[in-house]
Amino acid sequence: MLREPDMEYKYIKTDYLDMVAAGDNGLIKELVDIFSSQVVEFHLEMVSLLEHKNYNELGLLAHKAKSSVAIMGMDELASMLKTFELKARAGEDPELYPGFISKFDNDTKHALIELNTLINK
């Protein structure tokens, strides 16, 4: 187990990550590296899809992003991405999409700080 319950982390929960990696710190580092590159790509693509009003693809991307954040125990963000996915695929409430993308960007940046702290302990 990486840590005691996630008292020190605001954005991530390490219990699911511990379970997935079975306590293998090398695998945890690899998962964090993958997550780090994915969230940057996801954010850039979200912004581009929004600019082009490609809402269905934006919804599909929110679905992919949801899986990535769920592995890091980011339940609140995963739930928001589910809402984003459904609204975007239906083309509903597009005025909300910039806020969803901003929250994704903000929360994943903070999560990466926490994850880097975790793997460098």
Side-chain angles (χ1 to χ4, degrees), residues 11-55:
Y11 291 88
I12 64 170
K13 292 183 194 154
T14 59
D15 53 348
Y16 188 70
L17 189 56
D18 277 334
M19 185 186 71
V20 169
D24 180 341
N25 287 335
L27 180 55
I28 290 169
K29 184 177 181 338
E30 192 175 322
L31 290 170
V32 169
D33 289 344
I34 291 167
F35 178 76
S36 178
S37 64
Q38 280 182 333
V39 296
V40 171
E41 290 173 25
F42 287 155
H43 180 253
L44 292 173
E45 193 172 346
M46 284 177 185
V47 170
S48 176
L49 290 169
L50 179 64
E51 286 175 4
H52 293 95
K53 297 184 176 168
N54 192 339
Y55 299 149

Side-chain angles (χ1 to χ4, degrees), residues 67-79:
S67 300
S68 293
V69 301
I71 289 173
M72 299 303 161
M74 302 176 72
D75 301 333
E76 180 186 326
L77 186 59
S79 178

Side-chain angles (χ1 to χ4, degrees), residues 74-94:
M74 302 176 72
D75 301 333
E76 180 186 326
L77 186 59
S79 178
M80 188 258 341
L81 286 167
K82 178 67 175 178
T83 300
F84 185 16
E85 171 193 357
L86 296 174
K87 286 189 176 295
R89 292 190 69 193
E92 295 174 353
D93 304 321

